[in-house]
Every structure is written in C-alpha cells, then in structure tokens.
Amino acid sequence: MRKVVILGSTGSIGVSTLSVLAEHPQQYQVLALTAACQTDKLFAQCMQFQPRYAAMVDIDAAYQLKQLLQQAGSKTEVLAGAEALCQLASDSEADIVMAAIVGAAGLLPTLAAVEQGKTVLLANKEALVMSGELFIKKVQQHQAILLPIDSEHNAIFQCLPAALQQHSYSQSIASYGISKLLLTGSGGPFLTTPLAEFEQLTPSQAVAHPNWSMGAKISVDSATMMNKGLEFIEARWLFNCQPDDIEVVIHPQSIIHSMVQYSDGSVLAQLGQPDMRTPIAHALAFPNRMSSPVPPLSFKQMRDFTFSEPEPERYPNLYLAIAACQYGQGATTALNAANEIAVAAFLQQKIRFTDIHRVNAACLEQFAQTKVCTLEQILQLDQSARHNAEQYIRKHC
C-alpha cells in the first residue's frame, strides 16, 4: 500500500489522478489532498477518499472545509496556508507526491517533496521552467525519483532506453544513440484561424481546446503554444539536453504524444488517447504497468496523422520560450512570470489575445541576461518580472 499526496487535487490533473487511484484501492492510499480555495470540491473528494489530511491555501476556505468535514463525521485533519502544502509534501509517510499545482505556486511544495527524497510525479512544468538547474541538482542530491506527467514528456520518457530512464536528467542522450527529441503539439484551437482575426479572439474561444480537457490557464497557453514552449524548457532539464536537441512538431490529432529520434534513423513514438489518466497510471506504477480507465486506441477507426512546423507568426510565444531557453535560467523564470500575469489579464478581458505576446516579449527583453543561482534569487526575479508585466499592461494595453 503506497501512500499518495496530491498537490492540487481539485484541478484537472488532480481529478484524473484520483480517478486512477480509485481503480486500485488495494495498492494506493490517499494520504493528503490539497487545494487553493475550492471548498465544495475538496470536501467531496475527502468524503470519497478519506485522506488523513487536507490542506487549503485560503485560510477562510480551510475553516469552511473543517466545519463541513466535522459535520459529516469525517476524521480528516484540515491544515491551512501555503506552508501546509510544503508540510504535507514532505510528510514522512508519503511515498508518492503528485505535483499538480499550476504555476509558480507549485514550486516550493514540489521542492519540499524532492528534498525528502520522495517519488515526485511532476505535472507542474513551472518548477523546471523557473528553477531547472537548481531543481535537478536537488533531485540528484536527495536521491528523489522524478517522473514526468505531461503527456509529451511522459511519452518521451517511455521511448527512452530502460537504462536511461533511471537517470534521464543526468546522462547524455547522445551516448544512448538519441539524436532528437520530438515534442508534438496539437496547435490548439486557432491552428487554422486567419491571423487577421487574432486581435478579436475571446477567452471563451481560447479555452475551447479541440482535444484535451484542461484548466483555463493551460488552455490559453495551448492556444498561444506557450504551453509547448514551457514544455520545451522542461524537456531541456528532464532529459539533460540542449535546445538544439529538441524539435516541436504540430500534430493536430493528439494521438502521438511525442517521439524520440535515434541516430540509426529509427523513431520511437508513444501513442494513446488524449487523456491524462494514461501518463498518470504509467508514472504511478513505474517501472511496472497497471490498468487505467482509459479505453485503448482503435486502429481500425484511426484518422489520418498529419504533421507540420509551427508558424512563427501564428505562435510567437513558442519562439519566445525557445529563445528564453537559449538565454538561460533567468530568462525562463522571467518569461514564465510574465506569461502568468498576461494570461490572467486576458482571461479577465483586460488585454487582447495578441497582447499576451507583447507583454511576454517586453518582459523577456528586460530580463533576458539576468543571472540567478539561488532559490531566493529565483523567487525575487519571479516577483520583479510579474511587477514588470503588470506595469507594461497598465501603460501599453
């Protein structure tokens, strides 16, 4: 019986994780669930899975949850505040920590799990975008096990040789005969939308992803392909490679989740339904396999596969992220921060869809050469970049 902590249980990844765990009650026990402020949703999860602990970042929401659970006769202990997430992520009884908090807010609790040598299922790409070098050093120092959950990185991981899977973030991919990592992306909802219409695109259009069911922020990132840019940066650290070793390919059907190209001309691909429960089940059971609620592909009903190169004019945010990856850690930290501010402003209808790129580009230009080495410097730069983005929005949007 392995005990699992889910950071961000009310989000789409958290919900999918619980769906997989529900299929295997004899193998996994939910130790703790955490959320920001969705009291009713976390209450329902606590009643179903009866975790020992539940934590909410919002103090008032935590109080409401405690009242609800007491009235229902639940023995789940409720913790409050951001520090509670770090406490639960590093709990001595936890075997597996699902890091599924979106954005920079997930960095500190994920690092807390790493520093206790946990098996960390990484769905929070920002942890590596913000602090990749520092994060990977801590994984190695504390002998944590890091398994990727993003469908693209999980696909690449599955296509690696078994020996490289054990040390994918420290070994040379070239020494295993790998010449290229191919990140696939659907192209989002605006793959064929005329560029002239981009300034009038609305949040409701941007979050309507054609294949995946995701939260609002990540859906907008998919529409701009910033999501793929962040995954590009994440892959650079997860697989110990350089930007030139990674290529982004548009694959609208979202069936091939990513590929690994070998020096002998072979290309290995991982295929599956566009359902996050597949990579979650893979990581939970690794190095073994277990069933998930996802139906298998039917190749008799398969549509044609198509591929193309992302257009720079359509997806300028993708190319900003690639440029930031080439600059270094300070640039990727700043870009991630600016993008979080810009996407939030777009979702609140304060800026236009095309302004997201303008905000991000201005912030990257400001901080591209910034050097950061410590966690304190990273967090300080994150705040400075957010302030810069907010100022730009007020002055220019």
Side-chain angles (χ1 to χ4, degrees):
M1 183 73 74
R2 306 188 73 191
K3 295 181 179 179
V4 182
V5 172
I6 303 179
L7 302 173
S9 67
T10 58
S12 61
I13 296 294
V15 170
S16 293
T17 302
L18 288 172
S19 173
V20 175
L21 294 176
E23 299 280 316
H24 301 275
Q26 304 304 317
Q27 295 174 257
Y28 300 94
Q29 177 185 343
V30 178
L31 177 66
L33 300 174
T34 82
C37 57
Q38 295 192 63
T39 305
D40 291 343
K41 199 167 184 179
L42 187 55
F43 170 69
Q45 291 177 343
C46 288
M47 294 305 297
Q48 179 179 356
F49 292 93
Q50 296 295 316
R52 185 177 304 176
Y53 305 104
M56 303 202 76
V57 176
D58 185 278
I59 306 297
D60 292 336
Y63 177 77
Q64 294 171 15
L65 177 66
K66 184 176 181 178
Q67 296 296 109
L68 288 170
L69 289 171
Q70 286 179 343
Q71 292 169 9
S74 171
K75 296 181 179 180
T76 297
E77 180 180 344
V78 179
L79 307 179
E83 66 280 358
L85 275 60
C86 294
Q87 178 183 337
L88 293 177
S90 57
D91 189 279
S92 60
E93 290 194 52
D95 300 303
I96 299 171
V97 176
M98 167 60 79
I101 298 173
V102 175
L107 175 58
L108 291 180
T110 305
L111 275 174
V114 166
E115 290 171 346
Q116 292 302 312
K118 305 297 184 184
T119 295
V120 177
L121 277 52
L122 189 66
N124 170 261
K125 60 176 61 64
E126 289 82 4
L128 287 176
V129 172
M130 289 180 65
S131 63
E133 185 174 9
L134 174 72
F135 191 95
I136 294 301
K137 284 181 178 178
K138 285 187 176 291
V139 168
Q140 295 173 302
Q141 177 186 350
H142 298 283
Q143 297 183 316
I145 297 173
L146 186 63
L147 299 172
I149 295 299
D150 270 351
S151 61
E152 296 81 1
H153 303 102
N154 182 266
I156 289 171
F157 185 86
Q158 292 196 51
C159 294
L160 298 178
L164 182 55
Q165 287 179 334
Q166 306 300 322
H167 307 283
S168 65
Y169 35 79
S170 61
Q171 299 293 314
S172 164
I173 61 172
S175 66
Y176 286 83
I178 295 171
S179 58
K180 190 78 71 174
L181 305 180
L182 303 172
L183 279 174
T184 61
S186 69
F190 305 137
L191 178 60
T192 60
T193 301
L195 296 178
E197 297 179 13
F198 270 38
E199 291 207 358
Q200 284 73 49
L201 294 173
T202 66
S204 60
Q205 290 174 301
V207 300
H209 195 282
N211 300 329
W212 295 90
S213 175
M214 306 180 291
K217 195 269 181 182
I218 195 172
S219 295
V220 175
D221 281 348
S222 179
T224 66
M225 281 197 80
M226 176 59 84
N227 192 44
K228 204 57 51 182
L230 298 179
E231 289 169 6
F232 186 103
I233 298 165
E234 187 181 4
R236 179 257 183 275
W237 294 110
L238 275 174
F239 305 114
N240 190 36
C241 60
Q242 298 303 313
D244 288 345
D245 298 325
I246 310 168
E247 184 177 326
V248 176
V249 179
I250 289 183
H251 168 55
Q253 293 79 20
S254 296
I255 297 298
I256 296 177
H257 297 306
S258 275
M259 299 171 277
V260 174
Q261 180 177 303
Y262 285 82
S263 54
D264 62 5
S266 301
V267 177
L268 300 188
Q270 188 268 339
L271 287 71
Q273 301 282 6
D275 190 315
M276 289 305 300
R277 292 176 295 180
T278 295
I280 290 168
H282 170 264
L284 281 169
F286 184 81
N288 301 311
R289 297 276 180 171
M290 69 180 187
S291 62
S292 82
V294 182
L297 289 174
S298 172
F299 286 88
K300 294 178 181 178
Q301 300 175 359
M302 193 73 69
R303 294 172 292 171
D304 292 338
F305 288 172
T306 57
F307 305 91
S308 62
E309 183 179 359
E311 302 171 53
E313 300 81 7
R314 186 174 297 275
Y315 304 113
N317 282 284
L318 167 63
Y319 292 93
L320 271 185
I322 293 173
C325 188
Q326 292 166 334
Y327 280 121
Q329 187 66 79
T332 61
T333 299
L335 180 63
N336 176 73
N339 185 64
E340 288 193 21
I341 296 298
V343 171
F346 170 67
L347 287 169
Q348 295 163 13
Q349 300 186 28
K350 294 179 179 178
I351 65 174
R352 294 170 296 182
F353 182 77
T354 48
D355 288 332
I356 297 174
H357 171 255
R358 296 188 182 102
V359 174
N360 291 340
C363 195
L364 180 59
E365 182 178 3
Q366 179 75 21
F367 295 103
Q369 304 297 336
T370 304
K371 304 298 181 185
V372 289
C373 300
T374 67
L375 180 59
E376 292 72 21
Q377 290 172 340
I378 289 168
L379 295 176
Q380 183 177 0
L381 175 57
D382 176 78
Q383 290 304 309
S384 297
R386 288 172 190 274
H387 178 71
N388 180 277
E390 289 167 349
Q391 290 285 95
Y392 184 92
I393 289 171
R394 279 194 287 268
K395 290 180 181 179
H396 302 287
C397 298

